Amino acid sequence: MFKSVLDSAAAADGGSLALFVERIDGQTEQFVINRSLASRGTPAYNKIVSSLRPLSADDCQTIAAALEPLLTTTPPIHPLADFINTLKQQPSSFEN
Protein backbone atom coordinates (compact mmCIF):
# COMPACT_ATOMS: atom_id res chain seq x y z
CA MET A 1 0.00 0.00 0.00
CA PHE A 2 2.84 2.41 0.91
CA LYS A 3 6.45 2.68 -0.28
CA SER A 4 7.90 5.26 2.09
CA VAL A 5 7.38 8.21 4.38
CA LEU A 6 8.21 11.37 2.46
CA ASP A 7 7.78 14.07 5.08
CA SER A 8 5.87 15.28 8.11
CA ALA A 9 4.88 18.68 9.43
CA ALA A 10 3.32 20.36 12.42
CA ALA A 11 0.61 22.95 11.92
CA ALA A 12 0.49 26.34 13.56
CA ASP A 13 -3.00 25.59 14.91
CA GLY A 14 -1.78 24.32 18.25
CA GLY A 15 -0.89 20.71 17.57
CA SER A 16 -2.18 19.18 14.33
CA LEU A 17 0.26 16.93 12.49
CA ALA A 18 0.59 15.98 8.83
CA LEU A 19 2.23 12.88 7.38
CA PHE A 20 3.11 12.55 3.69
CA VAL A 21 3.56 9.00 2.37
CA GLU A 22 4.33 7.64 -1.06
CA ARG A 23 1.82 5.02 -2.13
CA ILE A 24 2.63 1.99 -4.29
CA ASP A 25 0.76 3.67 -7.18
CA GLY A 26 3.18 6.63 -6.99
CA GLN A 27 0.70 9.10 -5.51
CA THR A 28 1.47 11.06 -2.37
CA GLU A 29 -1.17 10.71 0.32
CA GLN A 30 -1.33 13.18 3.16
CA PHE A 31 -2.80 12.21 6.51
CA VAL A 32 -3.63 14.88 9.09
CA ILE A 33 -4.35 14.39 12.78
CA ASN A 34 -6.62 17.22 13.93
CA ARG A 35 -5.20 18.42 17.22
CA SER A 36 -5.97 22.09 16.80
CA LEU A 37 -6.70 24.16 19.87
CA ALA A 38 -10.15 24.93 18.41
CA SER A 39 -11.03 21.21 18.16
CA ARG A 40 -10.13 20.28 21.74
CA GLY A 41 -13.12 18.90 23.58
CA THR A 42 -15.01 18.24 20.33
CA PRO A 43 -15.55 15.01 18.37
CA ALA A 44 -13.18 16.34 15.68
CA TYR A 45 -10.19 16.29 18.05
CA ASN A 46 -7.61 13.60 17.26
CA LYS A 47 -9.42 12.47 14.09
CA ILE A 48 -7.37 11.58 11.04
CA VAL A 49 -8.29 12.60 7.50
CA SER A 50 -6.71 11.73 4.16
CA SER A 51 -6.07 13.98 1.19
CA LEU A 52 -7.20 11.25 -1.21
CA ARG A 53 -10.17 9.44 0.33
CA PRO A 54 -12.71 9.31 3.12
CA LEU A 55 -11.63 7.05 5.98
CA SER A 56 -13.79 4.56 7.85
CA ALA A 57 -12.63 2.97 11.10
CA ASP A 58 -11.76 -0.20 9.13
CA ASP A 59 -9.71 1.87 6.68
CA CYS A 60 -7.80 3.37 9.61
CA GLN A 61 -6.93 -0.11 10.91
CA THR A 62 -5.76 -1.22 7.45
CA ILE A 63 -3.67 1.93 6.98
CA ALA A 64 -2.09 1.54 10.43
CA ALA A 65 -1.06 -2.02 9.58
CA ALA A 66 0.34 -0.92 6.21
CA LEU A 67 2.38 1.87 7.83
CA GLU A 68 3.91 -0.32 10.56
CA PRO A 69 6.62 -1.84 8.31
CA LEU A 70 7.84 1.69 7.54
CA LEU A 71 8.81 2.13 11.21
CA THR A 72 12.01 0.17 10.52
CA THR A 73 13.17 2.67 7.89
CA THR A 74 11.94 5.88 9.55
CA PRO A 75 13.97 7.67 12.25
CA PRO A 76 12.58 7.12 15.76
CA ILE A 77 12.06 10.86 16.30
CA HIS A 78 9.60 10.93 13.42
CA PRO A 79 5.86 11.09 14.33
CA LEU A 80 5.03 7.94 12.30
CA ALA A 81 4.42 5.87 15.45
CA ASP A 82 2.02 8.56 16.72
CA PHE A 83 0.06 8.34 13.44
CA ILE A 84 -0.11 4.54 13.66
CA ASN A 85 -1.34 4.64 17.27
CA THR A 86 -3.91 7.33 16.49
CA LEU A 87 -5.18 5.40 13.45
CA LYS A 88 -5.65 2.32 15.63
CA GLN A 89 -7.68 4.34 18.14
CA GLN A 90 -10.22 5.74 15.66
CA PRO A 91 -13.71 4.85 16.91
CA SER A 92 -15.85 2.41 14.98
CA SER A 93 -18.42 5.13 14.28
CA PHE A 94 -15.78 7.40 12.71
CA GLU A 95 -16.49 8.72 9.26
CA ASN A 96 -14.59 11.49 7.53
Side-chain angles (χ1 to χ4, degrees), residues 6 15 23 28 34 43 64 73 83 93-94:
L6 300 174
R23 295 165 35 124
T28 298
N34 182 358
T73 58
F83 272 87
S93 61
F94 174 68

Side-chain angles (χ1 to χ4, degrees), residues 2 6 9 15 17 20 24 32 35 38 50 60 67 69 77 87 90 94:
F2 301 110
L6 300 174
L17 298 172
F20 302 86
I24 297 295
V32 176
R35 292 187 178 154
S50 164
C60 290
L67 289 172
I77 60 168
L87 282 160
Q90 295 302 297
F94 174 68

Side-chain angles (χ1 to χ4, degrees), residues 10-89:
D13 66 0
S16 294
L17 298 172
L19 178 71
F20 302 86
V21 292
E22 182 180 9
R23 295 165 35 124
I24 297 295
D25 63 9
Q27 289 187 308
T28 298
E29 187 166 6
Q30 176 187 358
F31 297 102
V32 176
I33 302 174
N34 182 358
R35 292 187 178 154
S36 70
L37 291 173
S39 72
R40 292 190 187 201
T42 72
Y45 184 77
N46 217 38
K47 295 291 173 87
I48 294 186
V49 296
S50 164
S51 61
L52 298 178
R53 54 189 160 157
L55 300 177
S56 69
D58 289 339
D59 293 331
C60 290
Q61 298 302 313
T62 301
I63 292 166
L67 289 172
E68 283 182 331
L70 299 179
L71 285 169
T72 61
T73 58
T74 305
I77 60 168
H78 195 280
L80 179 59
D82 189 11
F83 272 87
I84 292 169
N85 290 333
T86 304
L87 282 160
K88 288 179 178 180
Q89 295 171 14

